[in-house]
Amino acid sequence: ADNQFTVYIQPKYSLDAECLVGAEALVRWIHPEWGMVSPGEFIPIFEKSAFISRLDQYVWEQMCALLSQWKAKGYPLIPISVNVSRADFYQSHLADDLLGLTAKYGIDPTYLHLEITESACAENLNQIISMVEQLHELGFVIEMDDFGSGYSSLNMLSQMKLDVLKLDMKF
């Protein structure tokens, strides 16, 4: 409500093609008294409450609005990766919400890459696989971040339709 959350865009650049190929949305909390609060401090707290889903929805809408602005200005569109938290997967309306946002802003779902973390798959894997399949069928690109950070399972990878696999640095 106070606009304390800001979304920054981290570019993804192809060294082979020597061009910008995408971006990743990174949310930051700029508190009026505390200044910039590290995501490492606030994300775990938000994940324990339902607030993480509201924050995710805020970021999704911000990025769809940005892509729509770029489209209206005639800029070439690049895909933007946004986080989908574990809590989001337990919302039965997740696919409808995401599809509704892309429709509202006139954006093809392929421009909104959905990034899940490997830890999101630690609980109720079948539900995650089912939702990933549904989102994939709707045209969303699915990325898994932090693979190898502790819940690694090659078997899980064989069951899930992923488009991008981002390895954890420790892996």
Side-chain angles (χ1 to χ4, degrees), residues 152-165:
S152 302
S153 168
L154 295 177
N155 185 43
M156 173 190 63
L157 289 180
S158 69
Q159 298 175 52
M160 196 174 299
K161 294 181 180 179
L162 298 172
D163 299 292
V164 176
L165 182 66

Side-chain angles (χ1 to χ4, degrees), residues 61-144:
E61 181 137 14
Q62 294 294 308
M63 293 304 93
C64 286
L66 179 63
L67 286 165
S68 180
Q69 290 169 13
W70 288 351
K71 184 178 174 183
K73 292 178 180 179
Y75 297 163
L77 295 186
I78 58 168
I80 299 178
S81 300
V82 296
N83 289 320
V84 180
S85 301
R86 180 183 335 191
D88 297 325
F89 280 100
Y90 298 107
Q91 306 292 328
S92 60
H93 50 81
L94 174 62
D96 291 336
D97 289 351
L98 288 163
L99 203 55
L101 279 172
T102 56
K104 175 181 175 180
Y105 290 98
I107 300 301
D108 188 300
T110 59
Y111 287 106
L112 194 65
H113 288 199
L114 307 178
E115 189 172 289
I116 61 175
T117 60
E118 180 188 24
S119 62
C121 301
E123 299 171 11
N124 204 343
L125 182 60
N126 290 335
Q127 183 172 351
I128 303 293
I129 290 171
S130 175
M131 182 60 75
V132 164
E133 241 176 67
Q134 183 181 0
L135 293 167
H136 206 258
E137 287 172 7
L138 293 170
F140 292 98
V141 172
I142 310 297
E143 301 180 0
M144 179 175 283

Side-chain angles (χ1 to χ4, degrees), residues 16-37:
D16 290 336
E18 297 183 351
C19 66
L20 188 65
V21 294
E24 182 173 353
L26 305 172
V27 67
R28 297 296 182 256
W29 183 6
I30 304 172
H31 191 276
E33 295 174 27
W34 308 331
M36 180 93 65
V37 180

